[in-house]
Amino acid sequence: MKGIKLGGLFKSPSVPKSPAASGSGTNKPSAPPPVESKPTPKPSPIQDGFDAPGSTPSTSKVNTPPTQQPGKDVTSSFGANPLGYSGQNVLNAYNMFPGGAPQGVALPTAQKPFVNANDSKVTLNAHQHQGNTNLSVSPAGGQGIPAHYMHYLSTGEGKFAGIQGVPLHPRPGEPNTVVTGALNGCAVHALHDTKNNNLSFLHHADYSKNGKAELDGFLSQHPNLRPAGSLTPGDYSHPTGKYGDPTGATPFIQYSQGAGGQPGQWNIVGQLNTYKNGGTPGGRPELMRPTDLQVPFMQTVPVDVP
């Protein structure tokens, strides 16, 4: 959304200046020597998973019809095996609801950083377009994947935003996926609510600056919450490409059923990515799989609950 930052943007790679003209004499070269080009700088208008020109943040439930997404509908393929699908396709979680927050979704505030899980239910869809699988959310109960949507607040609005009351083990028909926006310096935390024996998930803006101390301070105000897993820049921000630009990540949280009747488990997943080019008509940058990466493309952090 306009004016909201995820906390920690990619630094645009420097682009060499064209050499100054050396004069017009006939014995001077008619063209400057070739200059090795670097990747196109990352676009500035889109700064996080929800920014789009003209978008307006909302802190209340709103009624917005779903926006038709361009590209081939691959929702069923993603939903059948999110981890397997993500290992083969580039996910894009920028501008997940270009028409505004879907009906029935409550958004957090600095005073109330947690939204009840029942007020975060959405329908998740995936469309293959321009080499990316674009994720989008619309009102719950639609044709797609039942999911929880986790919003965020920027540094000036509190930094912490999440959902609470997520079951440790969702029953059939309950959402087993949590989606949030792209990470570029932020973190996602899983927290065990020892009072209610369920889970809270938290989007932590600007974690890369002073995140651990901030999280400790936040948890001191919520003594019933215990850390159960975190995806931080240390997990997903790694050098990529010839110039070592840091990767970002498309995160989601997925519950996987246990084998042989054993209890299942939630996992925080981060798919590493980098920019391919600037904004598209859908208000998203086009992402690509990182190159020269020394760590796995998919980062998975298990949510451990005693």
Side-chain angles (χ1 to χ4, degrees):
M1 293 181 177
K2 188 175 182 180
I4 299 178
K5 297 180 180 179
L6 249 185
L9 303 178
F10 280 118
K11 292 183 179 179
S12 297
S14 60
V15 178
K17 296 180 180 179
S18 299
S22 56
S24 57
T26 56
N27 59 348
K28 302 281 181 75
S30 59
V35 177
E36 183 180 17
S37 61
K38 293 187 178 183
T40 303
K42 299 178 177 64
S44 57
I46 300 176
Q47 298 177 339
D48 53 55
F50 315 95
D51 260 346
S55 62
T56 303
S58 172
T59 56
S60 62
K61 297 180 181 180
V62 295
N63 186 352
T64 304
T67 302
Q68 183 65 37
Q69 298 297 305
K72 178 184 178 182
D73 191 336
V74 293
T75 303
S76 59
S77 297
F78 176 76
N81 184 0
L83 292 175
Y85 183 92
S86 302
Q88 302 297 323
N89 298 273
V90 176
L91 305 181
N92 193 326
Y94 282 82
N95 198 20
M96 293 179 71
F97 45 82
Q103 179 184 10
V105 173
L107 301 184
T109 66
Q111 293 71 37
K112 292 187 65 177
F114 285 111
V115 170
N116 289 328
N118 286 337
D119 295 325
S120 70
K121 292 181 178 179
V122 295
T123 299
L124 174 66
N125 284 275
H127 289 79
Q128 189 78 32
H129 183 61
Q130 293 184 326
N132 287 187
T133 295
N134 294 332
L135 304 179
S136 61
V137 295
S138 57
Q143 294 294 319
I145 304 166
H148 293 289
Y149 167 70
M150 182 167 63
H151 198 58
Y152 74 101
L153 294 175
S154 64
T155 301
E157 297 176 294
K159 275 199 172 186
F160 296 101
I163 59 177
Q164 62 184 6
V166 178
L168 297 179
H169 304 286
R171 295 189 299 270
E174 292 184 324
N176 61 4
T177 303
V178 179
V179 290
T180 188
L183 300 181
N184 292 304
C186 300
V188 171
H189 307 297
L191 306 169
H192 179 216
D193 188 330
T194 58
K195 180 180 179 180
N196 298 307
N197 197 30
N198 54 30
L199 291 170
S200 297
F201 294 106
L202 193 66
H203 193 132
H204 182 173
D206 281 326
Y207 182 90
S208 57
K209 293 183 179 179
N210 192 29
K212 186 180 185 306
E214 293 172 347
L215 180 61
D216 289 345
F218 181 87
L219 293 177
S220 70
Q221 302 173 33
H222 299 82
N224 57 308
L225 300 180
R226 297 285 186 273
S230 294
L231 179 73
T232 73
D235 299 302
Y236 68 77
S237 183
H238 300 279
T240 178
K242 188 173 182 178
Y243 301 100
D245 297 318
T247 54
T250 299
F252 62 93
I253 306 167
Q254 186 69 36
Y255 182 82
S256 299
Q257 297 291 340
Q262 296 298 311
Q265 185 177 40
W266 288 95
N267 290 280
I268 308 173
V269 181
Q271 185 198 71
L272 276 55
N273 59 49
T274 189
Y275 281 82
K276 184 175 183 180
N277 60 46
T280 65
R284 304 175 190 246
E286 187 178 353
L287 306 177
M288 70 179 201
R289 187 167 181 151
T291 58
D292 302 322
L293 198 61
Q294 301 301 311
V295 299
F297 175 52
M298 301 290 294
Q299 298 289 311
T300 302
V301 178
V303 175
D304 291 325
V305 177

